[in-house]
Amino acid sequence: MKHLRTRAAVVALCLPLGLGLLAACGDDEPDNAGTDPNSSSPSSEPSSEPGETTTTQSESPTETEGPSETESPDGSTATVPIYFAGDTPMGTRLYRELRQVPAEDSLTEAARLLVSGDALDPDYRTLLDGVTINEVTEEVGGIVVTLGEDSITSADKGLSPADAKLAVQSLVYTLQGAAGSKDHVEVRLANTTPADLFGQPTSIGVKAAPQLKVLSLVNIGLPEEGAKASGTLKIDGMASSFEATVRYFVTSESGATVVDDSAMAKGWINRLYPWKATIDLSGFEPGTYVLHAQTDDPTGGEGPGPFEDTRTFVVE
């Protein structure tokens, strides 16, 4: 009964405010709300320090293997967060995908990967169609993006004002996370003239919006899309879910649910927090499976519904 009373009290407090439970309750965003909530290596536990970028010479083998990325001439790579767009019950939001890029120029490579829309997860996409990247540099007080000469800076007619803002936020979140910085992001044309991208004030610099306003409220970090696994499957991610409860379940190729459980995140009110779990694969037949992670829905179906992220993985 205690759980039911708590749930009812929170719903009664938050729902009248509109925009959904967590978004309504999360306006008191901490100063570090816009920085990357977790840019740690895919093979490591989520970091509590936002904006941390990992550089490695070589990766140790893990129980779950994902696709590899291009290396720098010296073989070093940096694991960076790429914030692609995806669909949620509350419209388009940003989903983070951890990727490895050459460490030599990780900011430029991260931006190019973002605008290309080359996400591993087929549910993700870019909102920066028509934008090309010449280079990204860190200057005093800001991260400067220099566009390619063929870049389109005006928003496509099919891009709503909200998605235009989110497109710029995807660039801001990606670069702040890759740089481990809270500095604003400025955009310049190839001739170094300051430019507004998609009608947003990027010529003077844009900072990250609060996490609960632009990010999906649940995100899977591990496993990577298409990962191969055996024995056990380590899963982790970021979430802001009611009472910190993250439901996760696994479905087979036939659609049958073979695992249904939950994990506890380290928090839930004002931003996204790490969560993790381990799945025993010993009883799994070889084949392709889908991991689903969802936020808890305290409205009993009366609200917009849970946020969800998925990953496909292969049991060998």
Side-chain angles (χ1 to χ4, degrees), residues 76-134:
S76 62
T77 61
T79 301
V80 297
I82 310 296
Y83 282 85
F84 293 108
D87 297 325
T88 80
M90 293 174 62
T92 308
R93 293 287 188 101
L94 301 180
Y95 287 83
R96 185 204 61 196
E97 192 171 78
L98 297 177
R99 299 288 291 272
Q100 290 183 9
V101 298
E104 185 178 10
D105 195 2
S106 59
L107 288 182
T108 300
E109 295 299 330
R112 287 174 176 168
L113 184 54
L114 171 65
V115 301
S116 74
D118 187 22
L120 300 177
D121 192 318
D123 296 327
Y124 299 167
R125 62 186 184 276
T126 186
L127 295 174
L128 292 161
D129 291 321
V131 174
T132 59
I133 304 296
N134 186 5

Side-chain angles (χ1 to χ4, degrees), residues 24 54 128 227 243:
T54 302
L128 292 161
E243 294 189 341

Side-chain angles (χ1 to χ4, degrees), residues 189-204:
L189 300 178
N191 63 5
T192 71
T193 302
D196 286 338
L197 183 60
F198 294 173
Q200 304 305 305
T202 51
S203 59
I204 59 175

Side-chain angles (χ1 to χ4, degrees), residues 33-255:
T35 56
D36 176 49
N38 170 25
S39 60
S40 59
S41 167
S43 61
S44 65
E45 180 179 348
S47 169
S48 59
E49 287 296 323
E52 179 179 312
T53 302
T54 302
T55 302
T56 58
Q57 292 291 335
S58 61
E59 296 293 334
S60 300
T62 60
E63 293 171 291
T64 304
E65 295 182 359
S68 61
E69 300 296 333
T70 305
E71 295 183 344
S72 293
D74 65 354
S76 62
T77 61
T79 301
V80 297
I82 310 296
Y83 282 85
F84 293 108
D87 297 325
T88 80
M90 293 174 62
T92 308
R93 293 287 188 101
L94 301 180
Y95 287 83
R96 185 204 61 196
E97 192 171 78
L98 297 177
R99 299 288 291 272
Q100 290 183 9
V101 298
E104 185 178 10
D105 195 2
S106 59
L107 288 182
T108 300
E109 295 299 330
R112 287 174 176 168
L113 184 54
L114 171 65
V115 301
S116 74
D118 187 22
L120 300 177
D121 192 318
D123 296 327
Y124 299 167
R125 62 186 184 276
T126 186
L127 295 174
L128 292 161
D129 291 321
V131 174
T132 59
I133 304 296
N134 186 5
E135 65 174 350
V136 179
T137 57
E138 290 186 85
E139 300 186 5
V140 177
I143 300 171
V144 177
V145 180
T146 303
L147 302 179
E149 292 183 358
D150 58 344
S151 278
I152 299 173
T153 57
S154 57
D156 182 89
K157 292 182 179 179
L159 199 65
S160 68
D163 281 354
K165 291 181 180 179
L166 193 63
V168 171
Q169 285 297 316
S170 70
L171 185 62
V172 172
Y173 263 83
T174 295
L175 294 179
Q176 285 191 351
S181 168
K182 301 177 186 178
D183 289 343
H184 62 249
V185 173
E186 301 176 25
V187 174
R188 298 173 185 171
L189 300 178
N191 63 5
T192 71
T193 302
D196 286 338
L197 183 60
F198 294 173
Q200 304 305 305
T202 51
S203 59
I204 59 175
V206 175
K207 290 191 174 183
Q211 291 180 13
L212 300 188
K213 294 184 181 296
V214 297
L215 301 186
S216 168
L217 299 186
V218 68
N219 204 173
I220 296 173
L222 277 178
E224 294 178 329
E225 182 71 16
K228 296 179 180 181
S230 60
T232 59
L233 180 71
K234 293 181 179 180
I235 63 176
D236 66 33
M238 302 294 294
S240 184
S241 180
F242 182 72
E243 294 189 341
T245 303
V246 179
R247 180 195 176 200
Y248 65 89
F249 60 101
V250 176
T251 54
S252 66
E253 291 182 83
S254 67

